[in-house]
């Protein structure tokens, strides 16, 4: 099962290697990792998506908490948090499929960042499934370059609503 | 703390911080990238520096010092090769939870990352083998990193920390000498409050008819011996210890069943099979003790540990108390009831009687078990004993009974050959009035043998008991039992003359070979407080029993008397 861990860490060099090293060393597989500084410049937030049963994820949490630079670890249940990834795609278009491409972009709530004679540069954010979906719809046009972030997440304030 | 705001160099500040932390002794080896620090150390009147012969020796000395005194062990090395020579010791200290501060020189900050002379990314290399490490980038950061490092090394579950100290930062001036902010979460260095329900915890013990206490190295780190004794006596529960826990409960106590695990006593391992309740006190269900989920198959399992990551890591348990062992037992004790456990205790006594530690002492050759027993008797069990790794280590664990904590120094988790001699040296520096004996084998001894010079140069009274079987004995034992006697590369075709070698370092030495020489040998070895080496020639075929073969459980224990069965 996929788990999303949201981790607060001290924002200083080496923390990334401490955290990622822990995963390789203990044989846990990371699907994605996203890092950014929080409103407090001394603290970064990391979102790690990993595959594993509850036992493995429990072990990961315990081991993470043993790292001195890790301040907090939260296991985000899918239903009670919002999860997002961002993707940038540059893909080919032709005279004939140009309007089809634009229609698709509108339908998916995709932002168009650049249009040229023979290409479109788009931006899309959504949950992991939505992002994968958009990529697969664009793929037949011919993707030239793609850049996709890891997932970030935040728990809903109201945990009872779900 | 001196209140001066005068700017001093990073090197000077490091010396002052060590002094303020109460560090009295450091073990080290200088080199280019750490010279400014050594230049400042030169002036220190409070810190004694022991110049070793190899950095591995320095860190094992720091470990022996730390384990035998309960204090922080400190070692120093230069950049590059000096620092990488600390790797084995750091890993050893991590696995055995020994508080060590390693200070390493580093090339100047402007040269870092350029493959400069003697540059090694020791920060990166030591990430997985330290509890905390830091590269000090400015002298202003030093006091903060120093405080974090020491608190983390000593706090919670202890462990090694490393400060990488670039040469220019050692020379840079600073006025910052107080840790301004500690961003590390407090549970990494404060003694946490005990979490869990001590009453419910004790109730499970009260319900038990056949309880067993299983004590690990955490008991030594938490100084919990008195509490464990009180608990065992109140509950009338037998006690087994792990290799790392030896001494945390008196080995001569009537409730002691000795060591558990691969080469533990038959009665301890059988008690595990028969108990209906097992209480893990600061141990970690290591695979040499608890191979499979069916460990203690008939027992309710309970676990006290300061490291929450140990709970249910390998073996699932029914009751958990999270916190310092000493505190936790104090909280449990008031709820523990006496209970009549006569039939269980009788059962244990008959296990002890019917399955004793055993060996064949009939021939003319000297048996290590017998010799260790003589040394035990003669020293009244009061020596501090360090070991290397192999058969001699297990015999020492079996035949020298430890009544006090901090008197048994061995590499448990990593099994580091070469640990014994420097650990004994470190222990002797920390305990000059106690007898310190290093029990070693002809293989292990040669891994840090250069530290004989450290004994000589400090005129230290370290005793070396060398069992010579001209083999890597433990390897040979496995090859004999499980590889059809194919002794692939385990026999020495050359060994030095160990007696002459010791004498070359000014250490009195003697070699004995026949039973008739035992008394003379023991007398020679223990006659005064000076250093001595005794080389005891033992038969290569001598094996360590009992034994649980690798990958097997308590049920599959082989005793000395089963040997015939095994070799059919
Ligand atoms: C550094 C290191 N290398 C290899 C081993 C594997 N090993 C474990 S016991 C042993 C034999 C030790 O021989 P010796 O020190 O002579 O002791 P004995 O078993 O003969 O008592 C070896 C090679 C080890 N534990 N540590």
């Amino acid at each position: 099962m996929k788990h999303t861990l949201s981790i607060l860490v001290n924002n200083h060099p080496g923390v990334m290697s401490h955290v990622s090293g822990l995963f390789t060393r203990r044989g846990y597989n990371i699907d994605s990792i996203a890092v950014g500084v929080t409103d407090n410049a001394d603290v970064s937030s990391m979102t790690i998506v990993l595959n594993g049963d509850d036992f493995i994820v429990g072990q990961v949490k315990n081991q993470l908490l043993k790292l001195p630079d890790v301040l907090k670890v939260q296991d985000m249940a899918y239903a009670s948090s919002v999860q997002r990834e961002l993707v940038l795609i540059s893909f080919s278009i032709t005279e004939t499929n140009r309007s089809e491409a634009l229609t698709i972009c509108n339908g998916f709530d995709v932002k168009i960042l650049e249009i040229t004679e023979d290409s479109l540069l788009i931006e899309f954010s959504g949950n992991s499934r939505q992002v994968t979906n958009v990529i697969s719809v664009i793929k037949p046009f011919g993707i030239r370059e793609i850049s996709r972030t890891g997932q970030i997440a935040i728990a809903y304030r109201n945990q009872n609503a779900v | 703390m001196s209140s001066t705001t005068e700017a001093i160099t990073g090197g000077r500040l490091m010396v002052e911080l060590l002094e303020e932390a109460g560090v009295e002794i450091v073990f080290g080896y200088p080199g280019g990238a750490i010279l400014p620090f050594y230049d400042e150390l030169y002036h220190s009147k409070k810190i004694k520096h022991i110049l070793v012969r190899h950095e591995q020796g320095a860190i094992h000395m720091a470990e022996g010092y730390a384990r035998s005194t309960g204090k922080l062990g400190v070692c120093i090395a230069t950049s590059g090769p000096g620092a990488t020579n600390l790797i084995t010791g750091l890993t050893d200290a991590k696995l055995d939870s020994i508080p060590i501060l390693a200070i390493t020189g580093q090339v100047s900050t402007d040269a870092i990352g350029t493959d400069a002379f003697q540059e090694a990314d020791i920060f990166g290399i030591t990430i997985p083998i330290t509890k905390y490490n830091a590269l000090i980038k400015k002298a202003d950061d030093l006091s903060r990193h120093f405080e974090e490092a020491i608190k983390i090394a000593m706090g919670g579950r202890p462990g090694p920390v490393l400060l990488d100290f670039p040469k220019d930062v050692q020379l840079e001036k600073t006025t910052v000498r107080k840790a301004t902010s500690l961003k590390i979460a407090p549970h990494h260095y404060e003694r946490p409050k005990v979490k869990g329900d001590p009453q419910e915890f004790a109730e499970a013990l009260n319900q038990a008819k056949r309880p067993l206490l299983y004590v690990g190295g955490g008991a030594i780190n938490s100084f919990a011996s008195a509490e464990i004794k009180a608990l065992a006596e109140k509950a009338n529960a037998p006690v087994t210890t792990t290799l790392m826990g030896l001494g945390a409960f008196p080995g001569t106590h009537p409730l002691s069943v000795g060591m558990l695990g691969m080469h533990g006593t038959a009665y301890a391992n059988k008690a595990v099979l028969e108990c209906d309740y097992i209480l893990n006190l600061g141990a970690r269900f290591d695979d040499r003790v608890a191979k499979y989920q069916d460990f203690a198959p008939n027992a309710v399992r309970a676990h006290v540990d300061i490291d929450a990551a140990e709970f249910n890591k390998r073996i699932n348990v029914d009751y958990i108390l999270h916190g310092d062992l000493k505190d936790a037992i104090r909280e449990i004790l008031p709820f523990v009831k006496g209970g009549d456990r006569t039939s269980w205790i009788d059962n244990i006594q008959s296990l002890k009687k019917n399955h004793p530690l055993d060996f064949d002492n009939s021939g003319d050759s000297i048996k290590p078990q017998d010799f260790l027993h003589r040394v035990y008797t003669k020293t009244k069990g009061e020596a501090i004993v360090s070991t290397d790794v192999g058969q001699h280590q297990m015999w020492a664990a079996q035949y020298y009974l430890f009544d006090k904590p901090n008197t048994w120094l061995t590499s448990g988790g990593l099994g580091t050959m070469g640990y014994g001699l420097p650990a004994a040296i470190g222990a002797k520096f920390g305990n000059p009035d106690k007898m310190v004996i290093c029990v070693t084998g002809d293989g292990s001894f040669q891994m840090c043998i250069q530290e004989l010079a450290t004994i000589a140069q400090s005129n230290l009274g370290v005793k070396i008991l060398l069992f010579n079987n001209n083999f890597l004995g433990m390897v040979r034992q496995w090859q004999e039992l499980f590889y059809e006697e194919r002794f692939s590369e385990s026999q020495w075709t050359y060994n030095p003359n160990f007696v002459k070698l010791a004498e070359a370092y000014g250490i009195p030495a003697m070699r004995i070979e026949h039973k008739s020489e035992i008394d003379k040998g023991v007398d020679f070895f223990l006659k005064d407080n000076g250093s001595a080496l005794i080389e005891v020639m033992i038969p290569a075929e001598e094996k360590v029993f009992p034994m649980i073969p690798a990958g097997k459980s308590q049920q599959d224990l082989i005793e000395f008397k089963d040997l015939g069965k095994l070799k059919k």
Side-chain angles (χ1 to χ4, degrees), chain A residues 1-3 50-57:
Chain A
M1 208 183 82
K2 279 220 195 310
H3 285 255
L50 76 158
N51 235 321
D53 56 22
D54 289 348
F55 172 76
I56 295 279
V57 174

Side-chain angles (χ1 to χ4, degrees), chain B residues 389-392 415-417 441-444 447 469 471-475:
Chain B
V389 174
Q391 292 179 308
H392 63 274
T416 308
M417 290 170 70
D442 51 323
S444 299
M447 282 216 180
N469 47 16
F471 262 96
L472 295 169
M474 189 57 97
V475 174

Side-chain angles (χ1 to χ4, degrees), chain B residues 254-265:
Chain B
L255 285 170
S256 168
V257 290
M259 184 170 75
L260 184 64
M262 183 174 268
H263 290 297
T265 63

Side-chain angles (χ1 to χ4, degrees), chain B residues 126-184:
Chain B
T126 58
I127 282 177
I129 53 171
T130 52
K131 196 175 164 196
Y132 173 84
N133 66 0
L135 169 62
I136 303 163
K137 288 203 174 137
K138 338 190 260 291
D140 286 355
D141 291 344
L142 173 57
S143 52
R144 178 171 63 83
H145 282 309
F146 186 86
E147 183 165 348
E148 283 166 355
I150 292 215
K151 287 191 165 176
I152 290 169
M154 300 291 286
R157 177 180 181 169
V161 298
L162 180 138
L163 292 177
D164 201 19
F165 199 13
K167 191 169 186 178
D168 57 332
V169 182
Q170 296 169 42
L171 292 165
E172 190 189 352
K173 293 223 169 166
T174 178
T175 54
V176 183
R177 50 180 305 133
K178 271 211 132 155
T180 41
S181 68
L182 268 180
K183 284 185 294 178
I184 306 292

